[in-house]
Amino acid sequence: MKIVWGSLVAVAALSVAGAAHAQSREYQPNGARVGSFTVFPSLTVGLEYTDNAFLEDTNTEDDTIARVRPGILARSNFKRHEVVASLTGNAAFHENNDDDNTFDYDARLGGTIEATRALRILPEVSYKAGSEPRGDNNVNNLAAEPSTFDVMAGKVKAIYKAGRVSFEAGAGAAYSDYDDIAITGGGVASQDDRDRLRIDTEAKVAYEFRSKTDVFVKGTYSMIDFDNVDPIVLQKRDSDIFSASVGISHRPTAKTEATIGAGYIVENFDNNAFGSVDGFMVNGVLAWDVTPLTTITGRVERRIDQSTDANASSELVWNGLLGVSHQLRRNVVLGGDVGYSNRLFEGRASNREDDRYQARAKADYYINRNFSVGAQYSFARRISNIANSGYTENRVQATVTARF
């Protein structure tokens, strides 16, 4: 049999625990006590079908994909401080396109240091091996395989609360290293022009003007330093990004949050060939337990993304997502979400604009606290003013999860 079916048979025999959880406590995994830590291992095996594997506007190809997602989470049981470590993986085996098989993983180590009653410090280091599928905006149009990359990152944040006033300050650095990519028809394309170091800093001051409700002012600064020049423009895309915003946050319970911030963001490039990009920014988050059985979540943001388009300096992106989760029975959870994004390719000679619509419906059935099965359908459509840059995709997925 082909690799898809063989892989499913092999991993289905494993009995490792999982990370997914129902809302009812009786269906949540207990974990295993190891010294001063509780460890939660997991394994999810899935089979999915897509009618547009390479996100093409025409001449689409379907594919069946087997996915294996192992994971392990360790959380300390210290009385004061906390340490959290995690390792997750995502292996994809394509039935019709073996060259698109990937294995992504993410390792993280972080926690909370309770320095004093008023001061908390949150450090984290991480390493990620990821991939971008053929058809992604940032992947070479002639690619014969997915784009792969590694990201090494570290960050730290300090939070100090004095009465009604709180102060936050944070800094982080991430280095991204992109691998060369095989080209259709033979040959290899270098992606060294995408390798970069990004340093982020932020500061925030908030005032609790009434119980559980804050107003805040926030500022950020980022520096992006590329290793090599853009092969088309023959200039490096080094830049500085500044943002300033004000907002309000309401957290009446531990599980309920409504935060909205708005302001202005600008990206200045070191080289005049790219000019500058600026605009209105927003960042909002909603998590609302409407009833003990129903939760509504939402997110809205406008940000600047880096671009690989030779005709663009960067991209101004609107993102919005609204989701709902409902516990139909104690062991049956239904959910879904709808989303919209708008992507403007700014600077230089580009006039490209993409709109993307998405919708998803899912159901999870919890057999007991250690095993569950799930099903999911998702739809995505991208509309672009550039010929042959749009696509429509339908994807269905079935999963089995084991957890401890």
Side-chain angles (χ1 to χ4, degrees):
M1 295 185 117
K2 293 187 178 181
I3 190 169
V4 168
W5 311 108
S7 301
L8 276 179
V9 172
V11 297
L14 300 178
S15 57
V16 191
H21 62 275
Q23 291 174 319
S24 296
R25 287 184 178 275
E26 69 218 71
Y27 292 101
Q28 295 179 8
N30 290 323
R33 289 294 296 269
V34 180
S36 298
F37 288 81
T38 303
V39 179
F40 300 89
S42 67
L43 178 68
T44 296
V45 178
L47 188 65
E48 62 186 63
Y49 168 83
T50 173
D51 64 357
N52 192 351
F54 305 128
L55 307 180
E56 297 286 353
D57 189 33
T58 58
N59 301 318
T60 61
E61 294 185 36
D62 64 350
D63 204 351
T64 302
I65 307 163
R67 291 194 184 273
V68 183
R69 296 194 292 267
I72 187 167
L73 171 70
R75 188 183 299 274
S76 69
N77 302 310
F78 307 150
K79 290 184 177 180
R80 184 173 180 181
H81 310 298
E82 182 182 53
V83 176
V84 179
S86 65
L87 177 62
T88 58
N90 185 357
F93 304 96
H94 293 249
E95 182 177 26
N96 299 331
N97 302 280
D98 289 352
D99 289 340
D100 290 273
N101 294 347
T102 57
F103 178 66
D104 302 339
Y105 61 90
D106 189 305
R108 295 178 181 272
L109 175 63
T112 303
I113 301 172
E114 301 284 353
T116 68
R117 284 180 172 269
L119 176 63
R120 290 184 296 145
I121 301 173
L122 293 79
E124 182 184 270
V125 292
S126 63
Y127 182 88
K128 176 181 180 180
S131 61
E132 299 166 323
R134 286 194 275 172
D136 186 275
N137 271 348
N138 291 315
V139 177
N140 192 309
N141 291 333
L142 299 177
E145 62 183 0
S147 169
T148 58
F149 60 90
D150 300 295
V151 180
M152 296 168 285
K155 62 181 180 180
V156 63
K157 177 184 284 189
I159 303 173
Y160 180 79
K161 186 171 178 63
R164 291 179 174 269
V165 182
S166 62
F167 304 89
E168 295 184 18
Y175 181 75
S176 302
D177 182 18
Y178 288 80
D179 300 321
D180 295 345
I181 190 169
I183 298 300
T184 301
V188 173
S190 171
Q191 294 198 104
D192 289 345
D193 60 295
R194 300 182 66 187
D195 297 348
R196 59 188 180 266
L197 172 67
R198 176 169 179 143
I199 298 176
D200 297 304
T201 60
E202 65 174 80
K204 177 181 175 182
V205 179
Y207 176 71
E208 187 179 12
F209 70 95
R210 65 186 226 183
S211 179
K212 309 296 185 180
T213 304
D214 299 342
V215 291
F216 63 84
V217 178
K218 183 177 181 180
T220 69
Y221 166 73
S222 299
M223 181 196 75
I224 304 175
D225 183 18
F226 284 80
D227 288 356
N228 296 284
V229 300
D230 184 292
I232 304 298
V233 186
L234 300 180
Q235 302 288 343
K236 292 177 67 176
R237 289 178 174 264
D238 297 351
S239 65
D240 300 287
I241 303 176
F242 305 86
S243 76
S245 60
V246 296
I248 186 169
S249 179
H250 181 57
R251 294 183 176 88
T253 69
K255 295 183 178 180
T256 302
E257 174 187 359
T259 299
I260 185 70
Y264 201 75
I265 187 170
V266 58
E267 181 174 21
N268 294 321
F269 289 85
D270 292 357
N271 194 288
N272 291 332
F274 299 102
S276 64
V277 175
D278 59 85
F280 173 75
M281 65 165 289
V282 66
N283 199 326
V285 175
L286 172 67
W288 178 27
D289 286 343
V290 183
T291 72
L293 303 179
T294 305
T295 300
I296 293 177
T297 57
R299 185 183 73 247
V300 63
E301 63 176 339
R302 194 181 196 222
R303 66 176 192 270
I304 290 179
D305 277 356
Q306 302 306 297
S307 180
T308 58
D309 191 325
N311 294 317
S313 300
S314 53
E315 302 165 17
L316 273 173
V317 183
W318 270 107
N319 263 337
L321 187 71
L322 183 65
V324 61
S325 175
H326 177 70
Q327 187 179 351
L328 185 66
R329 299 177 60 183
R330 298 181 71 84
N331 63 334
V332 178
V333 179
L334 306 179
D337 53 57
V338 293
Y340 167 76
S341 69
N342 173 267
R343 190 172 291 268
L344 288 172
F345 291 70
E346 293 285 319
R348 294 184 55 76
S350 179
N351 64 348
R352 178 172 175 174
E353 181 175 1
D354 292 350
D355 294 293
R356 186 177 186 274
Y357 305 85
Q358 68 181 66
R360 180 177 63 158
K362 61 179 297 186
D364 291 299
Y365 174 74
Y366 295 88
I367 301 169
N368 53 42
R369 67 173 66 249
N370 299 122
F371 295 96
S372 65
V373 294
Q376 178 176 292
Y377 165 76
S378 61
F379 167 84
R381 177 169 174 77
R382 184 171 74 194
I383 301 173
S384 178
N385 62 351
I386 301 299
N388 301 318
S389 294
Y391 68 83
T392 300
E393 183 196 26
N394 294 278
R395 187 178 290 254
V396 293
Q397 176 182 320
T399 58
V400 178
T401 298
R403 53 229 170 106
F404 182 74

